Amino acid sequence: MDEPVPVTSSIDTLYPNANIPAQKKRWQNLLDHFQEKYGSQPTFVSRSPGRVNLIGEHVDYSLYEVLPMAIAADVLIAVGTPSPGNETENSDAATISMHNIDSHKHPSSQCTVPSTASAPIDASKHEWTNYFKAGLNGALSLLRKESPSFSPCSMNILVDGIVPAGGGLSSSAAFVCASALAVLRANGRETVQKKELVELAIVSERAVGVNSGGMDQSASVFSVKGDALSVSFSPELHAEAIPFPKVDPPITFMIAQSFVTSDKHVTAPRCYNLRVVECTLAAEMLANSLGISLRPDSSPLKHSLRGLQHAFFSSDTQESTKSPPIPLGDPQTPYKQQLETMLSLTAELLENDSGGYTREEIASTLSLSVPALEEKYMTAFPVHAVRFQLGKRACHVFSEALRVIAFKELLLDPASPSSPDLLPRLGALMNETQDSCRDVYECSCPEIDQLCTIAREAGAYGSRLTGAGWGGCTVHLVPKDKVDAVREAWVEKYYRAGEPDISAEKLEEAIIVSEPGQGSVVYASSYPLPVTELIRVCSVTV
């Protein structure tokens, strides 16, 4: 799927038909506010959506395959480039004016970017503009590599994001992807390849303090309306659309918001980033026990469980000076059997009880001092932990990678549409993922567990958390004829039980019947775009 990000002049290809009228009003509001703020219409609009992950939780940063899909909720960035006569800044620097539709919650800001420097980001401060600056800096870095004499242009931007922050639907990735795309196009890149945008955004989001794995950015950019997306990261980034089988009743996914906010950029040291470090240290400890050396890879900390698997089953693996206690694997071993072997080795070689490992124990095993261990693995992205649950984390990753394979095989099996047990089997895999996230990876929470239990009792085949966890959203595989029953059960037993006076608007926000959405696009027509033209372009018959 290494193709250009599409450029469109109509939003009717971006959203489900039922959403078009509301989106038309939203887009009109964006243009009206841009005109009010800057005195002109935007040159173009950059758009990237949020995502829901169907299966493959917390495995992307270990370089294992995932199966997400884009959703309709998205981030829009209207962009204008002031003409030279209207610019007041030094010609050696660009001025970036940043406004948000929700100006009360997200105050306006401005920054100056020298021709050879980046916009400053203070990751310790949770400011909305950091996400735009992350995409900005990543895009400028790429443009400077392409042309050493490159100098950025000034930009006026207005942002409208409707992906819930901290809801597990990747609002930050959508924002960074849309930002990088906006900067590239504003600075003359008429064609932006999807793969380069994803790779750029993965690295860029790490500037705001998260060891991002790559699933969120891939889903936001690569997704195709109507299909799931298979994303793999080894030996290199690759994505392909996976069509859903046509079955009766149709495959339907529902998303339920727990309203427990867990912004991974805020809680990262004790949650998300800690899990990245634990998985990396699990790979290092297993490699040490197996007497093999790991080669650097594209994972956040350069060594991954996928890299460990490859090394164990590779014919050219370099053994360390320590004699391996277990013979290395046969390179011809089938992939699923390799994963099963890694799962068995983890249970055998890593402590898997509730105690975990201390820094001192890990450092001693890896022949490092504690300060050296912390410098190598816990400095760029700090973590807060006394003990590290390496065995449990690795067991989740290997078993979840096996579930992704099984889920994908069911979707691609030609016999699936006629199989009466397709949906129950898909649902069972999702339920297993939730069990593992709750008990082994420990990234669920009571509210998420309650939503899943209620949905299953009301007829859902499968229910699980989606996203980083510790709050946020859940995703559910539901027969079409059970959608209303599941919705009513949530309203009665979860939402009204916890908040008797909950508003109709909040309930509408809480529950979504999701269709697979379209990935990143640039909206560009004959700008400056008259209001009447936008209305004509956006109007559809529903």
Side-chain angles (χ1 to χ4, degrees):
M1 299 183 73
D2 189 15
E3 57 193 18
V5 173
V7 179
T8 184
S9 59
S10 173
I11 70 167
D12 61 4
T13 60
L14 307 182
Y15 304 103
N17 286 343
N19 293 17
I20 293 292
Q23 289 295 338
K24 180 176 68 173
K25 293 179 182 178
R26 176 179 169 232
W27 281 66
Q28 182 64 67
N29 184 56
L30 179 72
L31 293 194
D32 289 346
H33 276 74
F34 193 96
Q35 177 76 46
E36 180 182 336
K37 291 286 185 185
Y38 297 114
S40 64
Q41 287 289 305
T43 309
F44 63 90
V45 177
S46 171
R47 174 207 181 254
S48 287
R51 65 96 190 97
V52 61
N53 189 23
L54 303 179
I55 199 161
E57 211 60 77
H58 282 282
V59 298
D60 58 332
Y61 48 79
S62 290
L63 303 186
Y64 284 104
E65 186 177 7
V66 293
L67 275 174
M69 69 181 193
I71 58 176
D74 56 15
V75 173
L76 306 178
I77 303 180
V79 181
T81 51
S83 61
N86 294 332
E87 296 186 52
T88 58
E89 76 278 359
N90 188 308
S91 60
D92 292 333
T95 298
I96 313 297
S97 296
M98 297 168 283
H99 293 273
N100 196 295
I101 285 289
D102 189 354
S103 57
H104 296 292
K105 186 176 181 181
H106 305 298
S108 300
S109 182
Q110 187 177 85
C111 71
T112 300
V113 183
S115 59
T116 58
S118 299
I121 296 175
D122 184 352
S124 67
K125 295 181 179 179
H126 189 54
E127 298 176 340
W128 75 273
T129 52
N130 281 353
Y131 302 101
F132 183 83
K133 291 177 184 178
L136 167 71
N137 290 343
L140 294 183
S141 177
L142 175 63
L143 292 168
R144 286 169 179 145
K145 288 179 182 177
E146 294 177 344
S147 174
S149 61
F150 167 79
S151 183
C153 71
S154 293
M155 297 173 63
N156 295 329
I157 71 157
L158 179 62
V159 176
D160 182 10
I162 59 171
V163 187
L169 301 177
S170 298
S171 58
S172 57
F175 196 172
V176 172
C177 289
S179 300
L181 178 59
V183 174
L184 289 171
R185 186 168 179 92
N187 283 277
R189 284 287 297 272
E190 293 293 319
T191 299
V192 177
Q193 297 297 122
K194 290 182 177 182
K195 186 175 181 180
E196 74 173 345
L197 178 59
V198 169
E199 292 176 337
L200 182 160
I202 291 171
V203 176
S204 296
E205 192 173 345
R206 293 173 185 166
V208 290
V210 173
N211 262 324
S212 176
M215 172 185 66
D216 301 345
Q217 299 82 1
S218 297
S220 189
V221 174
F222 284 123
S223 287
V224 175
K225 187 178 179 183
D227 292 340
L229 187 74
S230 170
V231 185
S232 56
F233 305 93
S234 180
E236 62 180 6
L237 177 66
H238 175 74
E240 61 176 325
I242 304 294
F244 288 106
K246 305 300 181 184
V247 296
D248 186 19
I251 293 178
T252 305
F253 292 97
M254 299 181 74
I255 301 171
Q257 170 74 267
S258 71
F259 292 121
V260 176
T261 300
S262 179
D263 194 308
K264 68 183 181 182
H265 300 79
V266 176
T267 63
R270 64 181 184 275
C271 296
Y272 188 90
N273 283 353
L274 176 58
R275 295 300 183 272
V276 177
V277 170
E278 286 177 318
C279 288
T280 304
L281 291 176
E284 297 280 19
M285 294 280 279
L286 285 167
N288 180 273
S289 296
L290 294 168
I292 57 179
S293 299
L294 296 179
R295 295 178 177 178
D297 55 33
S298 60
S299 61
L301 295 175
K302 305 307 178 187
H303 288 161
S304 67
L305 291 168
R306 180 69 180 87
L308 171 74
Q309 177 187 333
H310 175 77
F312 186 76
F313 288 98
S314 176
S315 58
D316 61 351
T317 291
Q318 295 181 349
E319 298 180 1
S320 67
T321 54
K322 178 181 176 180
S323 299
I326 298 174
L328 297 183
D330 182 351
Q332 302 304 313
T333 304
Y335 183 71
K336 284 199 292 185
Q337 189 176 332
Q338 290 185 19
L339 282 168
E340 291 165 352
T341 299
M342 300 312 298
L343 197 55
S344 297
L345 289 173
T346 299
E348 178 182 347
L349 298 174
L350 285 183
E351 182 69 37
N352 202 20
D353 61 20
S354 59
Y357 293 85
T358 64
R359 282 174 165 82
E360 290 75 15
E361 289 169 335
I362 297 170
S364 175
T365 301
L366 300 181
S367 301
L368 296 171
S369 66
V370 170
L373 178 79
E374 294 172 338
E375 173 68 25
K376 186 173 183 179
Y377 300 104
M378 308 174 199
T379 301
F381 302 94
V383 300
H384 301 158
V386 175
R387 304 186 76 89
F388 298 80
Q389 305 289 342
L390 308 188
K392 295 175 74 172
R393 309 313 181 221
C395 281
H396 167 82
V397 170
F398 292 132
S399 62
E400 183 73 347
L402 284 164
R403 285 187 285 272
V404 172
I405 294 172
F407 199 96
K408 183 177 177 181
E409 287 177 345
L410 285 170
L411 292 181
L412 294 176
D413 186 349
S416 286
S418 60
S419 173
D421 64 348
L422 171 64
L423 298 187
R425 291 173 68 187
L426 291 172
L429 291 167
M430 294 174 67
N431 292 336
E432 289 175 16
T433 292
Q434 175 59 22
D435 292 345
S436 185
C437 285
R438 181 190 64 233
D439 301 331
V440 183
Y441 218 69
E442 298 175 295
C443 60
S444 189
C445 67
E447 294 83 359
I448 291 291
D449 299 338
Q450 185 181 3
L451 282 168
C452 291
T453 298
I454 293 170
R456 292 171 191 169
E457 291 175 348
Y461 286 121
S463 298
R464 54 174 294 269
L465 66 82
T466 185
W470 298 283
C473 285
T474 54
V475 60
H476 310 262
L477 175 60
V478 182
K480 191 76 170 180
D481 57 0
K482 295 290 186 180
V483 167
D484 290 341
V486 172
R487 180 187 283 111
E488 291 168 5
W490 280 330
V491 171
E492 175 188 353
K493 299 178 180 180
Y494 184 83
Y495 296 110
R496 292 203 187 283
E499 188 178 345
D501 298 327
I502 189 170
S503 66
E505 292 76 14
K506 190 171 182 179
L507 280 175
E508 184 177 356
E509 175 189 345
I511 303 170
I512 302 169
V513 180
S514 182
E515 299 179 20
Q518 174 63 43
S520 298
V521 301
V522 171
Y523 180 91
S525 187
S526 53
Y527 280 98
L529 185 64
V531 170
T532 54
E533 173 66 7
L534 180 71
I535 293 175
R536 183 189 69 78
V537 169
C538 294
S539 295
V540 297
T541 300
V542 180

